[in-house]
Amino acid sequence: MATQIQMPELRYGLSDLAPVISEETLNYHYGKHLQTYVNQLNTLIEATEYEDMVLADIIREAPAGPLFNNAGQVFNHAMYFEQFAAPVKEGEENLPTGALEEAIYASFGDFETFRQLMSDAALKLFGSGWAWLVQTENGSLKIEQYPNADNPLKHDQVPLLCIDVWEHAYYLDYQNRRAEYIQKIWNIIDWEIVAARMSVR
Ligand SMILES: [Fe+2]
């Protein structure tokens, strides 16, 4: 039997991201929405040419439609849930260091400019989708908005950081206040995880 696509494990407890992301939201978003994408993907790849592929290859190969949508959403959510840690304390800064900090400065000028641009991309994305920080083929960093399940792998980019702006990501905690969700999410980014995603050139 082929290896099934697995749920990614969380690196923190379900209540550890509160008050930025509540346990209730994680129960639905991780426990129900992501689990459904994983289940649907496994059903779609069973007994097909995709069943022995790794997830990234399924995304690159899949035609537009349910297979790509479910594979993309499994990947996007795995990246999303992996990149968080408990919120920094009130008044403390949460900033990238090392090569990632240097790349952000080289591409955007300074961290605050980058944070503003990425927040705007997430806020202004119409409907459901994702804002991404990506590394391009020449090594520079760029911010992208991708609708629905689309993601950087499909565009030959290295995905570094993502903000899910599907309403299911924030509605229980922030209702229609997407801007507040985006503003708070910077307090739970684990920059070491994001830095480890960079491609070394
Ligand atoms: Fe989501």
Side-chain angles (χ1 to χ4, degrees):
M1 192 182 143
T3 311
Q4 293 229 309
I5 302 290
Q6 305 286 335
M7 281 285 281
E9 292 198 9
L10 290 182
R11 303 168 49 255
Y12 41 80
L14 288 170
S15 59
D16 289 352
L17 303 184
V20 177
I21 296 176
S22 68
E23 180 171 2
E24 188 185 18
T25 289
L26 279 180
N27 274 327
Y28 279 98
H29 196 188
Y30 172 79
K32 305 240 185 278
H33 288 279
L34 176 53
Q35 183 71 64
T36 301
Y37 292 130
V38 168
N39 294 347
Q40 288 176 340
L41 179 57
N42 279 319
T43 301
L44 287 165
I45 62 175
E46 193 178 351
T48 73
E49 65 194 282
Y50 300 99
E51 107 180 308
D52 291 318
M53 287 185 191
V54 295
L55 183 58
D57 287 340
I58 297 174
I59 289 169
R60 291 188 186 101
E61 301 289 324
L67 178 62
F68 175 76
N69 291 339
N70 283 283
Q73 284 293 74
V74 170
F75 179 86
N76 296 348
H77 285 92
M79 297 288 285
Y80 178 78
F81 289 120
E82 185 194 45
Q83 70 193 4
F84 296 139
V88 294
K89 293 195 186 77
E90 194 79 37
E92 273 183 20
E93 294 263 45
N94 183 31
L95 299 169
T97 57
L100 177 60
E101 180 189 25
E102 285 170 25
I104 287 174
Y105 274 67
S107 297
F108 303 103
D110 57 55
F111 180 78
E112 202 44 49
T113 302
F114 154 68
R115 178 159 62 180
Q116 199 58 53
L117 288 170
M118 177 116 180
S119 296
D120 277 358
L123 182 62
K124 291 173 182 165
L125 193 151
F126 185 78
S128 297
W130 300 77
W132 289 92
L133 174 67
V134 304
Q135 192 176 17
T136 64
E137 279 181 33
N138 68 15
S140 67
L141 306 191
K142 196 175 167 198
I143 292 163
E144 298 279 10
Q145 291 173 312
Y146 288 133
N148 301 316
D150 197 9
N151 72 44
L153 294 183
K154 202 73 174 173
H155 302 270
D156 296 322
Q157 298 164 331
V158 179
L160 300 182
L161 172 70
C162 58
I163 303 178
D164 185 351
V165 291
W166 284 59
E167 280 189 350
H168 67 220
Y170 59 88
Y171 213 83
L172 288 173
D173 296 331
Y174 300 94
Q175 294 77 51
N176 61 330
R177 302 187 307 278
R178 189 193 280 193
E180 193 180 332
Y181 156 70
I182 293 164
Q183 185 201 335
K184 300 268 177 65
I185 211 166
W186 296 103
N187 293 335
I188 58 168
I189 304 297
D190 185 329
W191 290 108
E192 287 191 15
I193 295 281
V194 178
R197 294 169 175 171
M198 289 178 77
S199 162
V200 181
R201 286 156 204 272

